[in-house]
Amino acid sequence: MNDPVNRTMLLVDIEKFSDRDDVEQAFLRRMLYDVVDRTMERAGIDETLRLRADQGDSVMEFIDPNVPVPQVLRSVITELPAQLKAVNRMASSAAQMRLRTVVASGFIALDERGIWVGSDLNHACRLLDADLLRAALRERPGDVALCVSQSVHAGIVRHGHLGIPAEEFHEVTLASKNGPLPAWLLGPVPASGQAAAAPGTAAGPAPTPVPDASGERPGPAGGTEAGPSGGGPASDSAPAPAPTPSTQPPAGIHFTGGAPAFGGSLVMGNQHGVSGGRVDGDVVMGSVGGPPRPGRTPDQDATAPDTATPSPDDRHTPGTGEAGPR
């Protein structure tokens, strides 16, 4: 194998070439050669400055490094579509062709059988055969789709040389059998090449908030919402709906978190208790309206004065009007 040499590579492929019969394929090959030769001649690149490799439905041109790459790009962007349009205009619908093109650069070498080889060439061939470039040609009204390699864009396209519309190139990632390949596509990106949903998008509804011992529960966007005992930032979302009748808890006092404090006794059911503070009037222990006491009628129970010995809390210190010491 010869030593590798640096070349600008132009690859051109006919769309749906294998769908044609043998007669049409032979005609398309002659048309392809004619279009590429005219494009190179108009760019001032004669045959002595380029080498050609025939791939059947495609052609590869390896251009001398002394030819400026912007000169090659300008001819592919403007002259190639014009030459193709002129040829298609004179051909029948069955003999018209559309082209996928790639401009890349790198090192190639000629092996013992006269075949050009090299990893940079393999990379360019992967770009030419990528599904996204095929989709770009399929979805646009023009007859040419152009893709350039990352190195050509970084070294030439992005600098805005005359005749090279840098703003019309879009960065894409092309799938290949060797993994994703970065490249730049001239013109709109096809729908099949648009970016997917951004990472981190929620895949389902948020979990139901569950209060914890501090009274805080997760907010709707990963924050916290203040519960009965506070401790977290307030949430802007609406409060949780009340339980439905079918799940309503029985009457009474229920706790789902926190540790509320009460001053005095806890009152439950028919039992009544009081502690702390001053109490005036009757204190009823037990249920009202129960069976009469022995030897008394219900009316007597209702009207008789209470003669029970007052409790220490009910005694008053004379002249003070306040409860005495317990």
Side-chain angles (χ1 to χ4, degrees):
M1 184 176 71
N2 294 340
D3 291 335
V5 293
N6 188 23
R7 289 287 186 270
T8 300
M9 294 176 276
L10 170 62
L11 284 65
V12 185
D13 185 274
I14 301 174
E15 181 188 46
K16 298 180 179 180
F17 181 80
S18 59
D19 293 346
R20 320 297 178 92
D21 59 35
D22 293 346
V23 175
E24 292 171 344
Q25 287 183 6
F27 179 76
L28 291 177
R29 282 173 49 81
R30 291 196 299 270
M31 287 179 59
L32 177 62
Y33 272 68
D34 189 35
V35 168
V36 173
D37 286 340
R38 291 183 183 179
T39 300
M40 294 291 98
E41 290 171 4
R42 292 296 183 93
I45 307 171
D46 59 38
E47 294 182 355
T48 61
L49 296 174
R50 52 192 173 98
L51 300 171
R52 172 172 292 172
D54 191 341
Q55 301 296 310
D57 60 345
S58 65
V59 62
M60 298 186 295
E61 298 282 341
F62 305 119
I63 302 169
D64 192 280
N66 292 319
V67 177
V69 178
Q71 183 177 339
V72 177
L73 268 177
R74 279 192 293 267
S75 65
V76 175
I77 293 173
T78 59
E79 193 62 35
L80 181 63
Q83 293 295 330
L84 179 59
K85 183 177 180 179
V87 171
N88 281 338
R89 186 178 179 182
M90 304 302 295
S92 64
S93 58
Q96 293 182 0
M97 64 180 178
R98 308 178 78 211
L99 303 176
R100 302 191 311 277
T101 60
V102 168
V103 175
S105 63
F107 291 92
I108 57 174
L110 196 65
D111 67 7
E112 296 79 4
R113 295 179 175 82
I115 305 298
W116 291 100
V117 295
S119 58
D120 292 330
L121 178 58
N122 294 339
H123 182 94
C125 292
R126 299 288 181 265
L127 298 182
L128 185 68
D129 197 47
D131 290 337
L132 189 142
L133 185 59
R134 295 175 183 271
L137 180 59
R138 184 170 58 249
E139 296 180 13
R140 63 182 55 181
D143 293 329
V144 178
L146 170 63
C147 182
V148 301
S149 65
Q150 182 76 16
S151 60
V152 170
H153 182 272
I156 304 297
V157 174
R158 72 181 183 91
H159 299 287
H161 293 281
L162 181 65
I164 301 176
E167 69 281 358
E168 296 183 16
F169 282 82
H170 301 91
E171 186 175 14
V172 294
T173 300
L174 308 181
S176 75
K177 63 182 181 181
N178 298 117
L181 300 176
W184 291 80
L185 178 69
L186 177 62
V189 179
S192 59
Q194 297 293 343
T201 303
T208 304
V210 179
D212 60 14
S214 66
E216 293 182 356
R217 55 183 178 271
T224 58
E225 182 180 354
S229 60
S235 172
D236 294 334
S237 61
T244 60
S246 60
T247 59
Q248 191 76 23
I253 299 177
H254 304 273
F255 303 92
T256 58
F262 292 88
S265 299
L266 179 65
V267 181
M268 296 293 292
N270 289 330
Q271 298 178 359
H272 304 268
V274 180
S275 68
R278 174 179 173 178
V279 179
D280 293 325
D282 297 338
V283 176
V284 181
M285 306 298 292
S287 300
V288 177
R293 286 176 287 180
R296 300 179 66 91
T297 65
D299 291 340
Q300 289 174 327
D301 282 340
T303 58
D306 191 350
T307 59
T309 302
S311 66
D313 291 341
D314 291 335
R315 298 192 187 102
H316 296 263
T317 303
T320 64
E322 298 295 338
R326 299 185 182 91

